[in-house]
């Protein structure tokens, strides 16, 4: 009985914290990480908490995949691939070189490059939803770039154990990963064809009172298949989301699955906060400052040059650069491969970048006006 009582109080407390943080226009992710840091000073994160949080991030990437059908995905990739390559070159490659310049090893530079690469889909998508006045072309570019990152990041996550040396690099492992990609994408194509041809059967399953159980089972199964082949667990969930966009009523699907995300995802960020090791203090040095500055500058450059290649005007390309700062869930997944003080360094960076990224997003219109006006003045003087 006491267990239910305390569990109820914890859930009410999490809701209250989420509500208050949202009232101050801050994503609840930051509040949950702070809770985890505070608890982590006294307790280690139990395996059950980490497992529940991992299930929450899997469901999150299913919902991200549910936003785009195969046709939409291919259409967006055709428009954004140049910006995506600029993103990889600057956010990942630039960070990799910067980290090497500070004397870190190649595996450490690779890991930090991965952490700084991916913009937080959950934070950015939520901010865009709450800014209806944001120009539709800026909105479309940012979402398209997030899709590209969501496709590249699982590939980096899959190769990371080999580069970090936590798993041996063998031809058998490479063959297993290749077979996993082949299986998942073949399943995506075959099941898409099946859904299109058997709409009545799928419709009856889809509207069954216990359909949510089956959908969660499908998500976890595909994630488990990905893990068995040595792939990222989120890749399988993302593919299931894309697959189920073939159903006409995806809103009903979201209503079925979103409560699982709302319950489990906070556990992921709390467990992440509990992984911080603050016994040696905060790693506030010149390298950390360089990471923060480069993290924001690289995304601004990606937004501008990538936005221009996407077809945006100079003004809207500048605005896009102020909307890509927050790092989040994917960066945290990379940190789980690290240990010790390295977790604290990169974890603190994610927290700071998420906060600064949110501030820049909220001030993006004002900052864009000032930046564009300054650029125009400089251009006139150069003439």
């Amino acid at each position: 009985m006491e267990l239910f009582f305390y569990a109820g109080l914890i859930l009410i407390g999490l809701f209250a914290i989420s509500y208050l943080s949202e009232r101050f226009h801050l994503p609840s992710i930051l509040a949950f990480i702070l809770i985890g840091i505070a608890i982590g000073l006294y307790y280690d994160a139990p395996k059950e908490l980490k497992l529940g949080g991992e299930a929450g991030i899997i469901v999150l990437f299913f919902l991200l995949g549910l936003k785009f059908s195969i046709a939409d995905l291919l259409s967006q990739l055709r428009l954004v691939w140049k910006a995506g390559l600029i993103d990889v070159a600057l956010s990942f490659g630039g960070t990799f070189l910067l980290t090497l310049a500070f004397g870190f090893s190649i595996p450490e530079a690779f890991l930090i490059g991965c952490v700084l690469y991916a913009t937080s889909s959950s934070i950015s998508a939520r901010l865009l939803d709450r800014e209806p006045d944001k120009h539709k072309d800026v909105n479309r570019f940012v979402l398209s770039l997030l899709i590209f990152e969501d496709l590249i990041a699982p590939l980096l996550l899959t190769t990371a154990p080999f580069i970090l040396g936590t798993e041996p690099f063998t031809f058998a492992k490479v063959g297993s990963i290749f077979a996993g990609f082949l299986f998942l994408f073949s399943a995506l194509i075959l099941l898409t064809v099946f859904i299109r041809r058997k709409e009545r059967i799928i419709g009856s399953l889809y509207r069954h009172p216990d359909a949510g159980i089956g959908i969660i089972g499908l998500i976890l199964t595909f994630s488990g298949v990905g893990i068995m082949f040595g792939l990222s667990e989120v890749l399988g969930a993302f593919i299931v989301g894309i697959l189920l966009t073939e159903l006409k009523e995806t809103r009903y699907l979201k209503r079925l699955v979103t409560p699982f995300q709302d319950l489990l995802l906070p556990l992921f960020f709390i467990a992440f906060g509990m992984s911080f090791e603050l016994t040696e203090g905060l790693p506030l040095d010149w390298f950390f400052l360089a990471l923060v500055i480069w993290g924001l500058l690289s995304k601004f450059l990606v937004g501008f040059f990538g936005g221009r290649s996407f077809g945006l005007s100079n003004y809207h390309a500048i605005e896009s650069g102020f909307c890509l700062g927050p790092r989040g869930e994917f960066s945290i997944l990379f940190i789980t491969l690290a240990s010790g003080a390295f977790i604290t360094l990169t974890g603190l960076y994610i927290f700071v970048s998420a906060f600064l990224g949110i501030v820049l997003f909220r001030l993006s219109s004002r900052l864009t006006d000032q930046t564009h006006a300054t650029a125009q003045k400089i251009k006139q003087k150069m003439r």
Side-chain angles (χ1 to χ4, degrees):
M1 294 295 290
E2 290 183 358
L3 177 63
F4 292 121
F5 175 74
Y6 290 122
L9 288 181
I10 290 171
L11 292 177
I12 293 172
L14 290 177
F15 167 73
I17 291 168
S18 175
Y19 176 79
L20 290 174
S21 63
E22 296 290 343
R23 290 284 292 176
F24 288 100
H25 304 290
L26 291 173
S28 53
I29 289 173
L30 299 181
F32 294 142
I33 293 174
L34 283 177
I35 292 171
I37 293 173
I39 297 174
L41 295 174
Y42 305 98
Y43 304 100
D44 293 327
K47 290 182 178 179
E48 295 80 5
L49 183 68
K50 293 179 179 179
L51 187 63
E54 195 170 338
I57 205 75
I58 287 170
V59 174
L60 169 65
F61 278 90
F62 162 76
L63 290 171
L64 290 175
L66 199 61
K67 293 182 178 181
F68 304 97
S69 66
I70 295 177
D72 290 336
L73 194 62
L74 293 175
S75 174
Q76 296 295 333
L77 290 179
R78 278 195 294 268
L79 293 172
V80 83
W81 68 271
K82 291 181 183 178
L85 293 181
I86 294 171
D87 193 10
V88 173
L90 289 175
S91 300
F92 174 75
T95 305
F96 180 84
L97 295 176
L98 174 68
T99 307
L100 287 178
F102 272 87
F104 287 83
S105 66
I106 289 177
E108 290 171 336
F110 174 84
L111 184 60
I112 293 179
C114 291
V115 169
L116 266 69
Y117 169 61
T119 303
S120 172
S121 297
S122 60
I123 294 177
S124 298
R126 185 172 296 183
L127 289 172
L128 287 171
D129 287 340
R130 295 185 175 186
E131 294 282 347
D133 295 332
K134 189 71 67 181
H135 194 277
K136 63 178 181 180
D137 289 339
V138 174
N139 196 315
R140 190 162 63 97
F141 168 66
V142 172
L143 289 177
S144 297
L145 189 61
L146 291 178
I147 296 169
F148 188 93
E149 290 185 351
D150 289 342
L151 292 175
I152 297 298
L155 303 181
L156 292 173
L157 194 60
T158 298
T159 58
F162 303 118
I163 296 175
L164 297 176
T166 56
E167 287 188 17
F169 182 83
T170 63
F171 286 108
K173 285 282 187 181
V174 174
S176 175
I177 290 172
F178 179 77
F181 277 116
L182 187 63
F183 175 83
L184 287 176
F185 285 103
S186 298
L188 174 62
I189 294 170
L190 292 174
L191 290 174
T192 298
V193 173
F194 177 79
I195 289 175
R196 289 177 179 177
R197 292 184 177 180
K198 305 292 182 180
E199 288 188 15
R200 288 187 179 182
I201 297 174
I202 298 301
S204 64
L205 295 173
Y206 175 58
R207 291 177 178 81
H208 190 275
D210 294 326
I213 297 173
I215 292 167
I216 293 295
L218 186 64
I219 296 168
L220 296 180
T221 299
F222 266 70
S223 296
V225 168
I227 294 171
M228 288 167 58
F229 282 106
L231 299 170
S232 166
E233 62 270 33
V234 298
L235 182 60
F238 189 71
I239 285 175
V240 174
I242 295 171
L243 169 67
L244 293 182
T245 56
E246 295 299 323
L247 299 174
K248 294 179 180 179
E249 299 176 8
T250 55
R251 288 186 181 180
Y252 178 66
L253 266 180
K254 291 177 183 177
R255 287 201 300 270
L256 287 174
V257 177
T258 298
F260 291 95
Q261 175 199 256
D262 294 342
L263 179 64
L264 297 173
L265 194 58
L267 305 182
F268 177 77
F269 295 108
I270 291 172
F272 166 64
M274 292 178 71
S275 67
F276 280 39
E277 295 184 8
L278 301 178
T279 53
E280 299 181 2
L282 296 175
L284 301 178
D285 53 15
W286 287 112
F287 175 64
F288 181 80
L289 180 62
L291 279 186
V292 172
I293 294 173
W294 173 247
L296 294 174
L297 178 60
S298 63
K299 286 298 183 183
F300 176 80
L301 295 174
V302 168
F304 180 75
F305 292 110
R308 292 293 292 149
S309 70
F310 190 79
L312 299 183
S313 65
N314 283 334
Y315 182 89
H316 291 128
I318 292 171
E319 187 175 12
S320 298
F322 290 117
C323 298
L324 297 170
R327 308 310 199 275
E329 56 283 341
F330 248 129
S331 299
I332 295 174
L333 286 175
F334 284 110
I335 291 179
T336 59
L337 302 173
S339 60
F342 215 69
I343 292 180
T344 305
L345 168 68
T346 49
L348 182 62
Y349 168 78
I350 290 173
F351 186 86
V352 171
S353 72
F355 178 78
L356 293 178
I358 292 165
V359 172
L360 288 177
F361 189 99
R362 299 219 176 263
L363 298 175
S364 59
S365 296
R366 190 185 311 169
L367 291 172
T368 301
D369 290 337
Q370 295 173 354
T371 305
H372 188 260
T374 303
Q376 292 293 101
K377 290 179 182 177
I378 293 172
K379 188 183 291 186
Q380 289 175 358
K381 288 181 180 180
M382 291 178 65
R383 290 175 181 175

